[in-house]
Amino acid sequence: MKDFSGTPGTVLGLVLRMSQFIFAAGSIASMATTTSFFNLTAFCYLIASMGLQIIWSFVLALMDLYALVRKKVLLNPVLISLFVVGDWVTATLSLAAASASAGITVLYFHDLGHCHFGEECQKYQISVAFAFLSWISTSISSLIMLWLLAAG
């Protein structure tokens, strides 16, 4: 297997995992500070999806950190296959949740002409933006993992 930037056990790999974790946590924090997010299924799905993203990214960031500290190589084909499947599943769930929540947010702001929830609507927008940023970093990581698996 090739050793290039973004692979498990590299600094860029750790940065990608930490950015996934931070953006997903920001999305949850922004959404959870509203009082009525639980009334809409798409927002609840966003919370669940970002919660899974936090767990996945945190565990893989710990593995990357361990590999960096111990100078270990995480290029085992079975491990890379697991990373590919996990990254693609979380990327798909994150995109679906962010898109559904964005649709509800657009409905409130543009289609209805105004938002009845006041400041909460801005928190919805921030949460959706963080979810898309988390998805972008997850998709970059999943493409790197797929490339690494194909190169192996």
Side-chain angles (χ1 to χ4, degrees):
M1 295 204 176
K2 306 283 185 200
D3 186 23
F4 52 89
S5 294
T7 59
T10 62
V11 175
L12 185 59
L14 180 63
V15 168
L16 280 170
R17 298 298 177 186
M18 290 307 297
S19 65
Q20 294 166 18
F21 176 81
I22 290 168
F23 290 137
S27 178
I28 287 178
S30 180
M31 186 65 73
T33 57
T34 65
T35 58
S36 61
F37 79 88
F38 52 85
N39 291 330
L40 296 164
T41 307
F43 293 159
C44 293
Y45 178 50
L46 181 71
I47 293 283
S49 174
M50 291 296 111
L52 178 64
Q53 183 65 50
I54 283 175
I55 294 167
W56 177 254
S57 299
F58 184 70
V59 168
L60 293 184
L62 288 177
M63 289 180 70
D64 281 342
L65 191 60
Y66 174 78
L68 282 170
V69 169
R70 296 288 187 165
K71 297 186 183 1
K72 298 272 184 178
V73 178
L74 295 178
L75 297 180
N76 182 345
V78 174
L79 196 59
I80 296 298
S81 297
L82 176 70
F83 290 168
V84 168
V85 171
D87 278 344
W88 280 95
V89 166
T90 56
T92 303
L93 290 174
S94 296
L95 179 61
S99 297
S101 298
I104 297 296
T105 305
V106 166
L107 175 73
Y108 279 144
F109 273 94
H110 296 290
D111 296 343
L112 297 178
H114 61 284
C115 182
H116 295 289
F117 298 117
E119 186 179 308
E120 288 189 4
C121 288
Q122 292 174 345
K123 291 181 180 180
Y124 295 152
Q125 286 179 329
I126 291 169
S127 179
V128 168
F130 278 141
F132 274 113
L133 289 172
S134 177
W135 171 75
I136 288 170
S137 58
T138 305
S139 64
I140 290 169
S141 180
S142 62
L143 287 173
I144 290 172
M145 291 300 133
L146 184 63
W147 187 3
L148 186 62
L149 184 65

